[in-house]
Amino acid sequence: MKTAESPTTTGEYSAPDQWISRQPSGTRDLDFQRIRDDRSATWNAALDASVDVTKGGRPDLFLVSVDDGCPVNCSLAEHPNGTHAGWCSCEVFQATTVCPHLCVLRQHAALGDLDLPMRDQQ
């Protein structure tokens, strides 16, 4: 059984087609393996939530609503080393840098339901 952070074999992985160099001001580096372990309540809340994800005008931008809450703007991209860079307009992210909205995006990407762009290291 696959979970949202199950290791993906090389044969199942397809490289993203798009690269981005910039994300919104306030973007933070995120290690979702650590988030899953250290912030399991947030991670699991995202797993259990009813979500709606809409792609935005750039490959890293998404509109995410969790459990019929007010939609928020999110940006998420993957670094070449496998970690991520993310930003969210929600108050939880502003206070803690970890929110269910970004966890939802990572979980959907890990399951192949969402393509994330690669982030240039600058």
Side-chain angles (χ1 to χ4, degrees):
M1 176 170 125
K2 275 188 151 181
T3 65
E5 279 299 320
S6 294
T8 303
T9 62
T10 306
E12 294 178 32
Y13 178 78
S14 61
D17 293 334
Q18 299 187 340
W19 286 76
I20 60 166
S21 59
R22 292 188 173 184
Q23 287 179 276
S25 176
T27 294
R28 304 272 194 250
D29 286 333
L30 303 167
D31 180 344
F32 283 104
Q33 289 265 264
R34 176 172 271 162
I35 290 169
R36 187 190 69 193
D37 294 339
D38 297 346
R39 306 291 289 275
S40 60
T42 301
W43 183 261
N44 290 333
L47 277 174
D48 296 335
S50 170
V51 299
D52 185 36
V53 176
T54 305
K55 292 181 182 184
R58 291 189 340 216
D60 65 306
L61 296 179
F62 304 90
L63 191 62
V64 180
S65 62
V66 174
D67 290 332
D68 295 323
C70 185
V72 297
N73 294 300
C74 297
S75 170
L76 189 61
E78 186 173 352
H79 289 297
N81 69 1
T83 62
H84 294 78
W87 172 87
C88 184
S89 64
C90 77
E91 292 178 10
V92 174
F93 177 81
Q94 304 307 319
T96 67
T97 70
V98 176
C99 68
H101 307 100
L102 291 173
C103 290
V104 161
L105 292 177
R106 176 62 186 113
Q107 292 164 359
H108 280 242
L111 295 171
D113 297 334
L114 190 68
D115 292 324
L116 296 177
M118 295 297 285
R119 165 92 187 249
D120 286 337
Q121 298 286 9
Q122 292 184 352

